[in-house]
């Protein structure tokens, strides 16, 4: 029982991180029609920025996390403005750009910081015990912080004018343009937000596991599974799917074998696609 | 003149869609644009709303050439384009669609006022506010598309085939609303396949053929002219 609860909690922690990554992928796809394979590199960049600021400069964790989100957001701004923007009408070019970016960013990270594994000093080091279940405090913190970010994002997209116009552009850019909405600005903004959330995921992962140049690949694969499962372009779907994948992975790791953990996520993924080919929520937000 | 196109041509890539379009709409006038499929009616509206630029010729709105103005600036100046095929935001609610129509407004009170104005024309929308636009009937979606266009209270309203796919009864309803907007002194450029119905409520009309304005005149005269009727109106 205790082990079950622990696995469930781990699943929620991972699910909340995957959710952060998936949102950026789903926005790039929904707004630009680009499958951004480089999105994992922004996760990595976020972790490296936080590592650099905390370990090398001794900046407090929360401040470093915020700064990392800002830095990666700015990086995302430049990348969208000066590369993806020109690929919007040629998805294949977007694909090439994203693959090129992976190489550039990962190698830049190795050049700048060296190839060895790194770790971000977590904000909390101890554990807390709730009813006999022992949980790492940092994990709980990551879950709470990531969930808050997801909730903020949800409210932003649902309730604010800017969030609504983002949905409008995703649905029908032509009509949105006729309302006076600037497609360029919305897409740029969405890309930056996606990168900021990716950086947050990177900091979270880096504080729980290790920081490496290739650390973005695994959560990115999860993100692809999640947005397919949730229904392309569906934010609600992505949230639910993120937690499903997080839970399945962690239960499989706990009860079957951690070596096989990833397989189970894909099995559930394939099963759902067989029975609900448009994802759990079909299309829609 | 509120707007005038002078010998406008325009291209999609290398395809010449408009060859020689000249037309005018005066303040408060209701003008209809008729022509066969592919004649260039929708393209003409796109040139007026600035989402396409003329290759040659001039578009003059309120005395100023529009060539250097962005679509957004033209919307701010009062040109609203309600596109062909409704194009509502299907997964957004009716209210959100209308809010998007008012994207350029920030005064909350003004937006509320405009909502009331739209509900006056389309009471049905008021009872559907929280419904996703994609689940509205075709007729309701048409009304939403027009209503969304009215949120900015345009000086010049461009309507691209608003009657498409509507039942005869709904056509009458939408036509009545267009007439009412006309009475309120809104200038309207109406593109319509249903030429007879459109001409009946219009002041003037232009006939387009393969990217050219070939005939124009008072709507009543065109309706009465047997040759025009046979050649262009199809009844
Ligand atoms: N996006 C586009 N790309 C290339 N050519 C286009 C495009 N849109 C329209 N055209 C061409 O431009 C010409 C004029 O098209 P337009 O849509 O203005 O016609 P229309 O009069 O509105 O027709 P309909 O009654 O069918 O709506 C047509 O020959 C059409 O094939
Ligand atoms: Mg057309």
């Amino acid at each position: 029982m205790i082990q079950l609860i622990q696995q469930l909690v781990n699943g929620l922690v991972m699910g909340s991180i995957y959710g952060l990554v998936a949102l950026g992928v789903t926005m790039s796809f929904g707004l630009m029609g680009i499958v951004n394979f480089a999105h994992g590199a922004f996760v990595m960049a976020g972790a490296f920025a936080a590592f650099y600021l905390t370990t090398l400069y001794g900046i407090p964790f929360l401040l470093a996390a915020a700064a990392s989100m800002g830095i990666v957001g700015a990086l995302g701004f430049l990348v969208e403005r000066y590369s993806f923007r020109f690929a919007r009408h040629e998805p294949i070019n977007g694909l090439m750009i994203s693959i090129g970016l992976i190489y550039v960013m990962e190698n830049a990270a190795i050049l700048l910081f060296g190839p060895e594994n790194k770790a971000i000093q977590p904000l909390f080091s101890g554990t807390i015990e709730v009813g006999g279940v022992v949980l790492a405090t940092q994990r709980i913190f990551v879950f709470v912080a990531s969930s808050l970010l997801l909730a903020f994002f949800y409210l932003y997209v649902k309730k604010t004018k800017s969030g609504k116009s983002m949905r409008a552009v995703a649905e029908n850019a032509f009509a949105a343009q006729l309302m006076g909405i600037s497609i360029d600005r919305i897409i740029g903004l969405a890309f930056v937000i996606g990168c900021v959330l990716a950086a947050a995921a990177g900091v979270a992962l880096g504080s729980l596991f290790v920081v490496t140049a290739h650390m973005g690949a695994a959560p990115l694969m999860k993100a692809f599974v999640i947005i397919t499962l949730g229904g392309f372009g569906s934010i609600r779907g992505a949230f639910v799917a993120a937690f499903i994948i997080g839970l399945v992975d962690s239960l499989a790791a706990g009860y079957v074998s951690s070596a096989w953990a990833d397989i189970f996520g894909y099995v559930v993924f394939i099963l759902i696609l067989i029975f609900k080919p448009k994802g759990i929520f079909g299309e829609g937000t | 003149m509120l707007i005038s196109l002078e010998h406008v041509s325009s291209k999609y890539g290398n395809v010449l869609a408009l060859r020689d379009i000249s037309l005018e709409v005066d303040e408060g006038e209701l003008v209809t644009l008729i022509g066969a499929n592919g004649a260039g009616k929708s393209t003409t509206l796109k040139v007026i709303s600035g989402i396409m630029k003329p290759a040659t010729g001039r578009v003059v709105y309120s005395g100023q050439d529009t060539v250097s103005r962005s679509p957004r600036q033209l919307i701010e100046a009062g040109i609203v384009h309600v596109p062909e095929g409704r194009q509502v935001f299907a997964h957004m609610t009716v209210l959100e669609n209308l809010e998007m129509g008012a994207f350029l407004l920030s005064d909350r009170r003004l937006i509320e006022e405009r909502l009331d104005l739209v509900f006056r024309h389309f009471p049905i929308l008021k009872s559907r506010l929280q419904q996703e636009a994609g689940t509205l009937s075709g007729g309701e979606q048409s009304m939403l598309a027009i209503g969304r266009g009215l949120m900015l209270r345009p000086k010049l309203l461009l309507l691209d085939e608003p009657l498409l796919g509507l039942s005869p009864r709904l056509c009458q309803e939408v036509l009545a609303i267009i007439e009412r907007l006309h009475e309120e002194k809104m200038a309207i450029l109406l593109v319509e396949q249903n030429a007879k119905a459109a001409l009946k409520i219009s002041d003037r009309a232009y006939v387009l053929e393969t990217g050219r304005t070939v005939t124009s005149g008072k709507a009543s005269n065109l309706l009465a002219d047997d040759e025009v009727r046979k050649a262009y109106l199809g009844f």
Side-chain angles (χ1 to χ4, degrees), chain B residues 12 17 36-43 84 161 193:
Chain B
Y12 292 98
N37 292 114
K41 306 180 295 293
S42 299
T43 308
E84 198 170 1
E161 308 206 24
Q193 297 278 359

Side-chain angles (χ1 to χ4, degrees), chain A residues 247-266:
Chain A
L247 287 169
V248 169
D249 277 6
S250 110
L251 290 176
Y255 286 100
V256 190
S257 142
S258 56
W260 289 81
D262 286 347
I263 299 294
F264 288 90
Y266 291 112

Side-chain angles (χ1 to χ4, degrees), chain A residues 141-153:
Chain A
F141 165 71
V142 162
F143 171 70
V144 171
S146 303
S147 300
L148 276 177
L149 281 177
L150 292 176
F152 276 135
F153 179 83

